[in-house]
Amino acid sequence: MWSYFLRRVAIGIPTLWVIITVCFFLMRLTPGGPFDFDAPVPAEILANLRAQYHLDDPLWRQYLDYLWNLLRGDFGPSFKYRDFTVTTLIAQGFPVSLQNGLSALVLAIVVGVPLGIVAALAQNTRRDYIVSAAAMTGIVIPNFIMGHMLILIFGVWAKDSIFHLPAGGWENGALTHRILPVLCLALPYIAYLVRITRGSMIEAMRANYVRTARAKGLPFRLVVLRHALKSALMPVVTFLGPATAFLLTGSMVVETIFQIPGIGRYFVQGALNRDYTLVMGVTIISAALVIAMNLVVDMLYGLLDPKVRYDGR
Amino acid sequence: MAAMGLLAPNGRATGEVRFAGANLLTARESELNAIRGNTLAMVFQDPMTSLTPHMKVGRQLTEVLQRHRGLGKAAARDQAIAMLRRVQIPEPERRFVMYPHELSGGLRQRVMIAMALLCGPRLIIADEPTTALDVTVQAQILDLIRLARDETGTSIILITHDLGVVAGLADRVAVMYAGRIVETGEVRRIFKTPQHPYTQGLLACTPRLDDAATAALRTIPGQPPNLQRLPPGCAYHPRCPYVMDRCRTNRPALLPAAVGGMKACFLDDLHLKAAS
């Protein structure tokens, strides 16, 4: 198992390198550059700026320099946030996105999976229809609408009640400021988890071995928890891998709506500003997370299914 | 399935299943759970999928004992291993900690039988227990079922479409067509003088060792009926060579037959007619 783990980590490095390379050249191919100002700027200032950021070096040189700096853990200076390095920006923003993402992830699992099980066990009854319909609603409402709805409900309508919550801002992570963004992040994932869990649980409950478990005279609760649940969790884990990576790297939409200083908003701002190094930085972080989470998922399969082996036998 | 309370949610059963003084069709889930796996056990058709894949087989056995006998872990383990040994599983201690996918089909069916026998049931329902197995393994499993019956005195309801299995194992036979019993009787009588045209048809389909190698296999003409839209009258009448007018409108009741046993057919001396 450990050799499998190390092998996968080793494969992850060239994968990351390919992503870095593609992303690097794609950014440079995009029309425009970081110093396209609205007002005309004297040519010598532009030349100075380009020299300062080594943009006048040949492209292959810039690429090799970037890789070399990366190896030393240096993401380079931001082109737009003067006096900030990308490393600093990420170090400030990532913990915020990480905390929100983790809270949303936990919330989604704690609410979504049990609700999915309840719906599955009550299949085609009113309880099932209510849960499934709510989940469908959660999936079809895009989060930029969901966010504003939450603000409207809890920030405006509930203004004078105990349910009133701040409509935005971060305030160094005060609890009340976290609730709405975390809820907004978690809702679509709750909805997806309900649907996935419900589907796989219904399938598991039809399995022959669940029939065997019932024929043994085990109480229904044990039949579900001991015999059906574990195989029903496989698709849930599969979904949760990449979902975790996306949640932890922050959501551009949610962080913008609630004015949260995470790294999600850097994705878009960086791309629009042609802030080459910033885009590279957040891309590398999220790519690394996706690779890592896929590995975690594959390791979890081994816990859920004894047929999974890692030693290639 | 109905007797065990294992029908699909959209399944319906009518009538009555009496077992040890209780009607299983109307019993509550908790009453059923006290009986299932305890005095009434079941062996299923497909051993490849009937064991929980993510649990070691030992645990799947001991949970029955813990549930119905209230045994502790160690005692349950000892009894389960002893039972694995009794169903002739070699190296039971080693198999005890294996997962189902590490066992062959025959071994898995032995585990299923061990599971059924654990609490010393009064009745075992075996639903085509050998259909999914190789012929040689089939014979071993049948030997094992016979042995279990003789050793423990448990009754067995064996559901099968294999007449050879019936001849080898059964005492009393009930022949079913389209969900209803069409003939019952002592096993020798059924094979010697079948009273229902369907039983006759079934027996006639059995290939014989003295058939010419090139002879076509015999079949019952026609097709099994759609169970959701059974033909009126006797369900077998569209395929029956002796069909009469009233067979098409009235369903014959299951009544005692002249040669012993029961049959559901309007014909009187069927075996004579068949012989002529």
Short mmCIF file of all heavy atoms in Angstrom, two decimals, chain A residues 123 207-220 222 225-231 303-309, chain B residues 1 4-6 29 33 36-37 40 42 44 46 49-55 59-60 63-64 67-68 99 101-102 112 115:
data_model
loop_
_atom_site.label_atom_id
_atom_site.label_comp_id
_atom_site.label_asym_id
_atom_site.label_seq_id
_atom_site.Cartn_x
_atom_site.Cartn_y
_atom_site.Cartn_z
N GLN A 123 -38.30 5.28 -0.11
CA GLN A 123 -38.42 5.49 -1.54
C GLN A 123 -39.88 5.55 -2.00
O GLN A 123 -40.70 4.72 -1.61
CB GLN A 123 -37.71 4.36 -2.28
CG GLN A 123 -37.51 4.67 -3.75
CD GLN A 123 -37.15 3.41 -4.54
OE1 GLN A 123 -36.92 2.36 -3.97
NE2 GLN A 123 -37.12 3.53 -5.85
N ALA A 207 -29.67 -5.29 -3.16
CA ALA A 207 -28.65 -6.31 -3.38
C ALA A 207 -29.04 -7.61 -2.70
O ALA A 207 -29.75 -7.63 -1.69
CB ALA A 207 -27.31 -5.82 -2.85
N ASN A 208 -28.57 -8.70 -3.29
CA ASN A 208 -28.88 -10.01 -2.72
C ASN A 208 -28.39 -10.14 -1.29
O ASN A 208 -29.03 -10.77 -0.46
CB ASN A 208 -28.24 -11.11 -3.58
CG ASN A 208 -29.06 -11.39 -4.82
OD1 ASN A 208 -30.22 -11.02 -4.90
ND2 ASN A 208 -28.45 -12.05 -5.79
N TYR A 209 -27.22 -9.55 -0.99
CA TYR A 209 -26.68 -9.76 0.35
C TYR A 209 -27.47 -9.00 1.39
O TYR A 209 -27.47 -9.37 2.56
CB TYR A 209 -25.19 -9.41 0.40
CG TYR A 209 -24.83 -8.03 -0.05
CD1 TYR A 209 -24.91 -6.96 0.82
CD2 TYR A 209 -24.39 -7.80 -1.35
CE1 TYR A 209 -24.58 -5.68 0.40
CE2 TYR A 209 -24.05 -6.53 -1.78
CZ TYR A 209 -24.14 -5.48 -0.90
OH TYR A 209 -23.81 -4.23 -1.31
N VAL A 210 -28.16 -7.93 0.98
CA VAL A 210 -29.03 -7.24 1.93
C VAL A 210 -30.25 -8.12 2.23
O VAL A 210 -30.70 -8.22 3.37
CB VAL A 210 -29.45 -5.87 1.38
CG1 VAL A 210 -30.56 -5.26 2.22
CG2 VAL A 210 -28.24 -4.94 1.37
N ARG A 211 -30.72 -8.82 1.20
CA ARG A 211 -31.81 -9.79 1.41
C ARG A 211 -31.35 -10.87 2.39
O ARG A 211 -32.08 -11.25 3.31
CB ARG A 211 -32.19 -10.41 0.07
CG ARG A 211 -33.42 -11.28 0.15
CD ARG A 211 -33.71 -11.88 -1.21
NE ARG A 211 -32.60 -12.70 -1.65
CZ ARG A 211 -32.49 -13.20 -2.89
NH1 ARG A 211 -33.41 -12.94 -3.78
NH2 ARG A 211 -31.46 -13.94 -3.21
N THR A 212 -30.11 -11.35 2.20
CA THR A 212 -29.58 -12.35 3.12
C THR A 212 -29.57 -11.82 4.55
O THR A 212 -29.99 -12.50 5.48
CB THR A 212 -28.13 -12.74 2.73
OG1 THR A 212 -28.12 -13.10 1.36
CG2 THR A 212 -27.63 -13.88 3.58
N ALA A 213 -29.12 -10.57 4.70
CA ALA A 213 -29.03 -9.99 6.03
C ALA A 213 -30.42 -9.92 6.67
O ALA A 213 -30.58 -10.18 7.87
CB ALA A 213 -28.41 -8.59 5.95
N ARG A 214 -31.43 -9.59 5.86
CA ARG A 214 -32.79 -9.54 6.41
C ARG A 214 -33.27 -10.94 6.76
O ARG A 214 -33.96 -11.13 7.75
CB ARG A 214 -33.73 -8.86 5.42
CG ARG A 214 -33.41 -7.39 5.24
CD ARG A 214 -34.31 -6.74 4.23
NE ARG A 214 -35.72 -6.86 4.62
CZ ARG A 214 -36.72 -6.83 3.76
NH1 ARG A 214 -36.48 -6.71 2.48
NH2 ARG A 214 -37.96 -6.93 4.19
N ALA A 215 -32.89 -11.91 5.93
CA ALA A 215 -33.31 -13.29 6.20
C ALA A 215 -32.68 -13.83 7.48
O ALA A 215 -33.13 -14.81 8.04
CB ALA A 215 -32.94 -14.19 5.02
N LYS A 216 -31.61 -13.19 7.95
CA LYS A 216 -30.98 -13.61 9.19
C LYS A 216 -31.78 -13.13 10.40
O LYS A 216 -31.46 -13.50 11.53
CB LYS A 216 -29.58 -12.99 9.31
CG LYS A 216 -28.54 -13.59 8.42
CD LYS A 216 -27.27 -12.78 8.62
CE LYS A 216 -26.16 -13.23 7.70
NZ LYS A 216 -25.00 -12.33 7.84
N GLY A 217 -32.74 -12.26 10.18
CA GLY A 217 -33.50 -11.73 11.29
C GLY A 217 -32.81 -10.57 11.98
O GLY A 217 -33.10 -10.26 13.12
N LEU A 218 -31.88 -9.91 11.28
CA LEU A 218 -31.23 -8.73 11.88
C LEU A 218 -32.23 -7.58 11.90
O LEU A 218 -33.03 -7.43 10.98
CB LEU A 218 -30.01 -8.32 11.05
CG LEU A 218 -28.85 -9.30 11.00
CD1 LEU A 218 -27.75 -8.73 10.11
CD2 LEU A 218 -28.30 -9.55 12.38
N PRO A 219 -32.18 -6.75 12.92
CA PRO A 219 -33.04 -5.56 12.93
C PRO A 219 -32.70 -4.66 11.75
O PRO A 219 -31.55 -4.60 11.32
CB PRO A 219 -32.71 -4.87 14.25
CG PRO A 219 -31.83 -5.78 15.00
CD PRO A 219 -31.34 -6.85 14.11
N PHE A 220 -33.73 -3.97 11.25
CA PHE A 220 -33.59 -3.16 10.04
C PHE A 220 -32.41 -2.20 10.12
O PHE A 220 -31.65 -2.03 9.18
CB PHE A 220 -34.89 -2.39 9.82
CG PHE A 220 -34.95 -1.71 8.50
CD1 PHE A 220 -34.92 -2.44 7.32
CD2 PHE A 220 -35.02 -0.33 8.41
CE1 PHE A 220 -34.98 -1.83 6.10
CE2 PHE A 220 -35.07 0.30 7.18
CZ PHE A 220 -35.05 -0.45 6.03
N LEU A 222 -29.61 -2.48 11.70
CA LEU A 222 -28.33 -3.16 11.46
C LEU A 222 -28.17 -3.54 10.00
O LEU A 222 -27.07 -3.46 9.44
CB LEU A 222 -28.23 -4.42 12.32
CG LEU A 222 -27.72 -4.24 13.74
CD1 LEU A 222 -27.46 -5.59 14.37
CD2 LEU A 222 -26.43 -3.43 13.73
N LEU A 225 -27.13 -0.21 8.36
CA LEU A 225 -25.83 0.36 8.73
C LEU A 225 -24.68 -0.60 8.46
O LEU A 225 -23.61 -0.21 8.01
CB LEU A 225 -25.84 0.76 10.21
CG LEU A 225 -26.80 1.90 10.56
CD1 LEU A 225 -26.72 2.22 12.04
CD2 LEU A 225 -26.45 3.14 9.73
N ARG A 226 -24.90 -1.89 8.74
CA ARG A 226 -23.78 -2.82 8.66
C ARG A 226 -23.61 -3.40 7.26
O ARG A 226 -22.51 -3.59 6.79
CB ARG A 226 -24.01 -3.96 9.67
CG ARG A 226 -22.75 -4.71 10.02
CD ARG A 226 -23.07 -5.86 10.94
NE ARG A 226 -23.15 -5.47 12.34
CZ ARG A 226 -23.65 -6.26 13.30
NH1 ARG A 226 -24.13 -7.45 12.99
NH2 ARG A 226 -23.68 -5.85 14.54
N HIS A 227 -24.76 -3.68 6.59
CA HIS A 227 -24.64 -4.42 5.33
C HIS A 227 -24.80 -3.53 4.10
O HIS A 227 -24.13 -3.76 3.09
CB HIS A 227 -25.67 -5.55 5.29
CG HIS A 227 -25.36 -6.66 6.24
ND1 HIS A 227 -24.62 -7.76 5.89
CD2 HIS A 227 -25.65 -6.82 7.55
CE1 HIS A 227 -24.48 -8.55 6.93
NE2 HIS A 227 -25.10 -8.02 7.96
N ALA A 228 -25.70 -2.56 4.15
CA ALA A 228 -25.98 -1.80 2.93
C ALA A 228 -25.11 -0.55 2.79
O ALA A 228 -24.62 -0.24 1.72
CB ALA A 228 -27.46 -1.42 2.89
N LEU A 229 -24.89 0.15 3.90
CA LEU A 229 -24.33 1.50 3.82
C LEU A 229 -22.95 1.54 3.17
O LEU A 229 -22.66 2.40 2.35
CB LEU A 229 -24.28 2.11 5.22
CG LEU A 229 -23.80 3.56 5.27
CD1 LEU A 229 -24.71 4.44 4.44
CD2 LEU A 229 -23.75 4.06 6.70
N LYS A 230 -22.10 0.59 3.52
CA LYS A 230 -20.71 0.69 3.09
C LYS A 230 -20.57 0.69 1.57
O LYS A 230 -19.84 1.51 1.01
CB LYS A 230 -19.89 -0.45 3.71
CG LYS A 230 -18.51 0.00 4.10
CD LYS A 230 -17.83 -1.07 4.92
CE LYS A 230 -16.36 -0.76 5.11
NZ LYS A 230 -15.66 -1.81 5.84
N SER A 231 -21.28 -0.22 0.90
CA SER A 231 -21.15 -0.23 -0.55
C SER A 231 -21.88 0.97 -1.15
O SER A 231 -21.51 1.43 -2.23
CB SER A 231 -21.66 -1.53 -1.15
OG SER A 231 -22.67 -2.09 -0.37
N LEU A 303 -10.52 1.03 1.89
CA LEU A 303 -11.21 0.83 3.17
C LEU A 303 -12.62 0.31 2.97
O LEU A 303 -13.13 -0.45 3.78
CB LEU A 303 -11.26 2.16 3.93
CG LEU A 303 -9.97 2.68 4.53
CD1 LEU A 303 -10.22 3.97 5.29
CD2 LEU A 303 -9.38 1.63 5.47
N LEU A 304 -13.26 0.76 1.88
CA LEU A 304 -14.66 0.41 1.67
C LEU A 304 -14.82 -0.94 1.00
O LEU A 304 -15.81 -1.62 1.19
CB LEU A 304 -15.35 1.48 0.81
CG LEU A 304 -15.55 2.84 1.48
CD1 LEU A 304 -16.12 3.84 0.49
CD2 LEU A 304 -16.48 2.70 2.67
N ASP A 305 -13.88 -1.32 0.16
CA ASP A 305 -14.05 -2.53 -0.63
C ASP A 305 -12.80 -3.41 -0.49
O ASP A 305 -11.74 -3.05 -0.98
CB ASP A 305 -14.26 -2.14 -2.10
CG ASP A 305 -14.52 -3.37 -2.96
OD1 ASP A 305 -14.42 -4.49 -2.43
OD2 ASP A 305 -14.83 -3.20 -4.15
N PRO A 306 -12.95 -4.56 0.18
CA PRO A 306 -11.77 -5.40 0.40
C PRO A 306 -11.20 -5.98 -0.89
O PRO A 306 -10.09 -6.51 -0.89
CB PRO A 306 -12.32 -6.51 1.30
CG PRO A 306 -13.78 -6.52 1.08
CD PRO A 306 -14.16 -5.11 0.76
N LYS A 307 -11.95 -5.88 -2.00
CA LYS A 307 -11.42 -6.42 -3.26
C LYS A 307 -10.34 -5.52 -3.84
O LYS A 307 -9.58 -5.93 -4.70
CB LYS A 307 -12.55 -6.56 -4.28
CG LYS A 307 -13.38 -7.82 -4.11
CD LYS A 307 -14.44 -7.90 -5.18
CE LYS A 307 -15.78 -8.12 -4.53
NZ LYS A 307 -16.89 -7.92 -5.43
N VAL A 308 -10.29 -4.27 -3.38
CA VAL A 308 -9.29 -3.34 -3.91
C VAL A 308 -7.94 -3.67 -3.29
O VAL A 308 -7.78 -3.76 -2.08
CB VAL A 308 -9.68 -1.89 -3.57
CG1 VAL A 308 -8.58 -0.93 -4.00
CG2 VAL A 308 -10.98 -1.53 -4.25
N ARG A 309 -6.97 -3.86 -4.16
CA ARG A 309 -5.60 -4.12 -3.70
C ARG A 309 -4.68 -3.09 -4.32
O ARG A 309 -4.91 -2.64 -5.43
CB ARG A 309 -5.14 -5.51 -4.13
CG ARG A 309 -5.72 -6.61 -3.32
CD ARG A 309 -5.04 -7.92 -3.71
NE ARG A 309 -5.66 -9.03 -3.03
CZ ARG A 309 -5.45 -9.32 -1.75
NH1 ARG A 309 -4.61 -8.58 -1.06
NH2 ARG A 309 -6.06 -10.33 -1.19
N MET B 1 -40.02 -16.33 -0.71
CA MET B 1 -39.77 -14.92 -0.37
C MET B 1 -40.90 -14.36 0.49
O MET B 1 -40.65 -13.66 1.47
CB MET B 1 -39.69 -14.09 -1.66
CG MET B 1 -38.50 -14.42 -2.52
SD MET B 1 -36.95 -14.11 -1.69
CE MET B 1 -35.94 -15.33 -2.46
N MET B 4 -40.72 -15.51 4.04
CA MET B 4 -39.66 -14.91 4.83
C MET B 4 -39.89 -13.41 5.01
O MET B 4 -39.06 -12.71 5.60
CB MET B 4 -38.31 -15.12 4.14
CG MET B 4 -37.87 -16.56 4.05
SD MET B 4 -37.40 -17.24 5.65
CE MET B 4 -35.78 -16.53 5.86
N GLY B 5 -40.94 -12.90 4.44
CA GLY B 5 -41.17 -11.45 4.51
C GLY B 5 -40.16 -10.70 3.67
O GLY B 5 -39.77 -9.58 3.99
N LEU B 6 -39.73 -11.30 2.57
CA LEU B 6 -38.66 -10.69 1.77
C LEU B 6 -39.15 -10.27 0.39
O LEU B 6 -38.36 -10.04 -0.51
CB LEU B 6 -37.49 -11.68 1.60
CG LEU B 6 -36.77 -12.07 2.88
CD1 LEU B 6 -35.69 -13.08 2.58
CD2 LEU B 6 -36.19 -10.85 3.55
N GLU B 29 -42.77 -7.03 11.66
CA GLU B 29 -41.35 -7.15 11.34
C GLU B 29 -40.55 -7.70 12.52
O GLU B 29 -39.68 -8.54 12.36
CB GLU B 29 -40.82 -5.77 10.92
CG GLU B 29 -39.39 -5.76 10.40
CD GLU B 29 -39.28 -6.12 8.92
OE1 GLU B 29 -40.32 -6.30 8.27
OE2 GLU B 29 -38.14 -6.24 8.42
N ASN B 33 -38.47 -11.09 12.68
CA ASN B 33 -37.03 -11.08 12.93
C ASN B 33 -36.63 -12.07 14.01
O ASN B 33 -35.49 -12.51 14.07
CB ASN B 33 -36.57 -9.67 13.31
CG ASN B 33 -36.30 -8.84 12.08
OD1 ASN B 33 -36.13 -9.39 10.99
ND2 ASN B 33 -36.27 -7.53 12.24
N ARG B 36 -36.87 -15.43 11.65
CA ARG B 36 -35.94 -15.52 10.52
C ARG B 36 -34.51 -15.75 11.02
O ARG B 36 -34.05 -15.06 11.93
CB ARG B 36 -35.96 -14.23 9.69
CG ARG B 36 -37.26 -13.97 9.00
CD ARG B 36 -37.12 -12.89 7.98
NE ARG B 36 -36.96 -11.57 8.55
CZ ARG B 36 -37.35 -10.45 7.95
NH1 ARG B 36 -37.89 -10.52 6.76
NH2 ARG B 36 -37.16 -9.28 8.50
N GLY B 37 -33.83 -16.67 10.36
CA GLY B 37 -32.45 -16.94 10.74
C GLY B 37 -32.35 -17.77 11.99
O GLY B 37 -31.27 -18.23 12.35
N LEU B 40 -36.44 -20.51 11.35
CA LEU B 40 -36.73 -20.60 9.92
C LEU B 40 -35.57 -19.94 9.17
O LEU B 40 -35.31 -18.76 9.35
CB LEU B 40 -38.05 -19.88 9.60
CG LEU B 40 -38.41 -19.70 8.14
CD1 LEU B 40 -38.58 -21.04 7.45
CD2 LEU B 40 -39.69 -18.89 8.01
N MET B 42 -32.98 -19.65 5.47
CA MET B 42 -33.11 -19.71 4.01
C MET B 42 -31.73 -19.82 3.38
O MET B 42 -30.77 -19.20 3.83
CB MET B 42 -33.81 -18.44 3.53
CG MET B 42 -34.16 -18.49 2.06
SD MET B 42 -35.70 -17.61 1.73
CE MET B 42 -35.88 -17.94 0.00
N PHE B 44 -30.06 -19.21 -0.35
CA PHE B 44 -30.46 -18.54 -1.58
C PHE B 44 -29.81 -19.17 -2.80
O PHE B 44 -28.89 -19.97 -2.73
CB PHE B 44 -30.12 -17.06 -1.51
CG PHE B 44 -30.94 -16.32 -0.50
CD1 PHE B 44 -30.42 -16.03 0.74
CD2 PHE B 44 -32.24 -15.95 -0.79
CE1 PHE B 44 -31.18 -15.36 1.68
CE2 PHE B 44 -33.00 -15.28 0.13
CZ PHE B 44 -32.47 -14.99 1.38
N ASP B 46 -28.09 -17.67 -5.35
CA ASP B 46 -26.84 -17.22 -5.94
C ASP B 46 -25.81 -16.90 -4.85
O ASP B 46 -25.78 -15.81 -4.31
CB ASP B 46 -27.10 -15.97 -6.78
CG ASP B 46 -25.85 -15.52 -7.51
OD1 ASP B 46 -24.82 -16.22 -7.39
OD2 ASP B 46 -25.90 -14.48 -8.19
N THR B 49 -23.47 -13.57 -4.91
CA THR B 49 -23.89 -12.22 -4.54
C THR B 49 -24.65 -12.18 -3.22
O THR B 49 -25.08 -11.11 -2.81
CB THR B 49 -24.79 -11.61 -5.63
OG1 THR B 49 -25.92 -12.47 -5.82
CG2 THR B 49 -24.06 -11.45 -6.93
N SER B 50 -24.83 -13.34 -2.58
CA SER B 50 -25.69 -13.35 -1.40
C SER B 50 -24.93 -13.10 -0.10
O SER B 50 -25.54 -13.03 0.95
CB SER B 50 -26.45 -14.68 -1.32
OG SER B 50 -27.39 -14.75 -2.37
N LEU B 51 -23.61 -13.00 -0.18
CA LEU B 51 -22.84 -12.64 1.01
C LEU B 51 -22.39 -11.19 0.90
O LEU B 51 -22.07 -10.72 -0.20
CB LEU B 51 -21.61 -13.56 1.16
CG LEU B 51 -21.93 -15.00 1.55
CD1 LEU B 51 -20.74 -15.91 1.27
CD2 LEU B 51 -22.32 -15.09 3.01
N THR B 52 -22.39 -10.50 2.02
CA THR B 52 -22.00 -9.09 2.00
C THR B 52 -20.52 -8.97 1.63
O THR B 52 -19.67 -9.49 2.35
CB THR B 52 -22.26 -8.46 3.37
OG1 THR B 52 -23.64 -8.66 3.68
CG2 THR B 52 -21.96 -6.98 3.35
N PRO B 53 -20.19 -8.29 0.52
CA PRO B 53 -18.82 -8.33 0.01
C PRO B 53 -17.79 -7.66 0.91
O PRO B 53 -16.61 -8.00 0.85
CB PRO B 53 -18.92 -7.61 -1.34
CG PRO B 53 -20.17 -6.80 -1.26
CD PRO B 53 -21.10 -7.55 -0.36
N HIS B 54 -18.22 -6.70 1.74
CA HIS B 54 -17.23 -5.96 2.53
C HIS B 54 -17.13 -6.47 3.96
O HIS B 54 -16.56 -5.77 4.80
CB HIS B 54 -17.53 -4.46 2.49
CG HIS B 54 -18.93 -4.13 2.90
ND1 HIS B 54 -19.35 -4.17 4.19
CD2 HIS B 54 -20.02 -3.79 2.17
CE1 HIS B 54 -20.62 -3.83 4.25
NE2 HIS B 54 -21.06 -3.62 3.03
N MET B 55 -17.70 -7.66 4.25
CA MET B 55 -17.57 -8.20 5.59
C MET B 55 -16.92 -9.58 5.53
O MET B 55 -17.21 -10.36 4.63
CB MET B 55 -18.97 -8.36 6.23
CG MET B 55 -19.46 -7.12 6.94
SD MET B 55 -21.20 -7.31 7.37
CE MET B 55 -21.05 -8.28 8.85
N ARG B 59 -17.66 -12.89 10.47
CA ARG B 59 -18.53 -11.89 11.09
C ARG B 59 -19.98 -12.08 10.64
O ARG B 59 -20.92 -11.88 11.41
CB ARG B 59 -18.03 -10.50 10.68
CG ARG B 59 -18.82 -9.34 11.21
CD ARG B 59 -18.21 -8.83 12.49
NE ARG B 59 -18.99 -7.73 13.03
CZ ARG B 59 -20.07 -7.89 13.79
NH1 ARG B 59 -20.47 -9.11 14.07
NH2 ARG B 59 -20.74 -6.86 14.24
N GLN B 60 -20.15 -12.47 9.38
CA GLN B 60 -21.50 -12.66 8.87
C GLN B 60 -22.17 -13.87 9.52
O GLN B 60 -23.40 -13.95 9.57
CB GLN B 60 -21.48 -12.83 7.34
CG GLN B 60 -20.83 -11.64 6.66
CD GLN B 60 -21.05 -11.62 5.16
OE1 GLN B 60 -22.13 -11.90 4.67
NE2 GLN B 60 -20.01 -11.29 4.41
N GLU B 63 -22.78 -12.86 13.62
CA GLU B 63 -23.84 -11.90 13.94
C GLU B 63 -25.18 -12.61 14.09
O GLU B 63 -26.04 -12.14 14.83
CB GLU B 63 -23.91 -10.78 12.90
CG GLU B 63 -24.37 -11.20 11.53
CD GLU B 63 -24.49 -10.00 10.58
OE1 GLU B 63 -24.30 -8.87 11.03
OE2 GLU B 63 -24.76 -10.23 9.40
N VAL B 64 -25.35 -13.75 13.41
CA VAL B 64 -26.59 -14.52 13.58
C VAL B 64 -26.67 -15.07 15.00
O VAL B 64 -27.70 -14.98 15.67
CB VAL B 64 -26.63 -15.69 12.56
CG1 VAL B 64 -27.94 -16.47 12.72
CG2 VAL B 64 -26.50 -15.17 11.16
N ARG B 67 -27.20 -12.43 17.59
CA ARG B 67 -28.56 -11.90 17.54
C ARG B 67 -29.56 -12.87 18.17
O ARG B 67 -30.36 -12.49 19.01
CB ARG B 67 -28.91 -11.61 16.09
CG ARG B 67 -30.36 -11.51 15.78
CD ARG B 67 -30.85 -10.09 15.85
NE ARG B 67 -32.30 -10.09 15.70
CZ ARG B 67 -33.12 -9.44 16.50
NH1 ARG B 67 -32.65 -8.72 17.47
NH2 ARG B 67 -34.42 -9.49 16.30
N HIS B 68 -29.50 -14.15 17.75
CA HIS B 68 -30.56 -15.07 18.17
C HIS B 68 -30.20 -15.86 19.43
O HIS B 68 -31.07 -16.34 20.14
CB HIS B 68 -30.88 -16.06 17.05
CG HIS B 68 -31.54 -15.41 15.87
ND1 HIS B 68 -32.75 -14.79 15.93
CD2 HIS B 68 -31.11 -15.25 14.59
CE1 HIS B 68 -33.07 -14.30 14.74
NE2 HIS B 68 -32.09 -14.56 13.92
N TYR B 99 -12.68 -12.72 3.14
CA TYR B 99 -13.82 -12.05 2.54
C TYR B 99 -14.46 -12.96 1.51
O TYR B 99 -13.79 -13.83 0.95
CB TYR B 99 -13.37 -10.75 1.87
CG TYR B 99 -13.00 -9.67 2.85
CD1 TYR B 99 -11.67 -9.42 3.16
CD2 TYR B 99 -13.99 -8.93 3.49
CE1 TYR B 99 -11.33 -8.44 4.08
CE2 TYR B 99 -13.66 -7.94 4.39
CZ TYR B 99 -12.34 -7.70 4.68
OH TYR B 99 -12.02 -6.73 5.58
N HIS B 101 -15.16 -12.73 -1.56
CA HIS B 101 -14.58 -12.85 -2.90
C HIS B 101 -13.34 -13.74 -2.91
O HIS B 101 -12.84 -14.09 -3.97
CB HIS B 101 -14.23 -11.47 -3.46
CG HIS B 101 -13.07 -10.80 -2.79
ND1 HIS B 101 -13.21 -10.03 -1.66
CD2 HIS B 101 -11.74 -10.82 -3.07
CE1 HIS B 101 -12.02 -9.59 -1.29
NE2 HIS B 101 -11.12 -10.06 -2.12
N GLU B 102 -12.84 -14.09 -1.72
CA GLU B 102 -11.67 -14.97 -1.67
C GLU B 102 -12.07 -16.44 -1.67
O GLU B 102 -11.22 -17.32 -1.63
CB GLU B 102 -10.84 -14.65 -0.42
CG GLU B 102 -10.29 -13.23 -0.45
CD GLU B 102 -9.64 -12.81 0.86
OE1 GLU B 102 -10.36 -12.67 1.87
OE2 GLU B 102 -8.42 -12.63 0.86
N MET B 112 -23.20 -20.28 3.17
CA MET B 112 -24.63 -19.95 3.27
C MET B 112 -25.38 -21.04 4.02
O MET B 112 -26.28 -20.76 4.82
CB MET B 112 -25.23 -19.79 1.86
CG MET B 112 -24.74 -18.60 1.07
SD MET B 112 -25.09 -17.01 1.83
CE MET B 112 -26.87 -16.94 1.67
N MET B 115 -24.61 -20.86 7.60
CA MET B 115 -25.35 -19.74 8.17
C MET B 115 -26.77 -20.16 8.50
O MET B 115 -27.32 -19.82 9.56
CB MET B 115 -25.35 -18.61 7.14
CG MET B 115 -25.76 -17.26 7.63
SD MET B 115 -25.72 -16.11 6.25
CE MET B 115 -23.98 -15.76 6.14
#
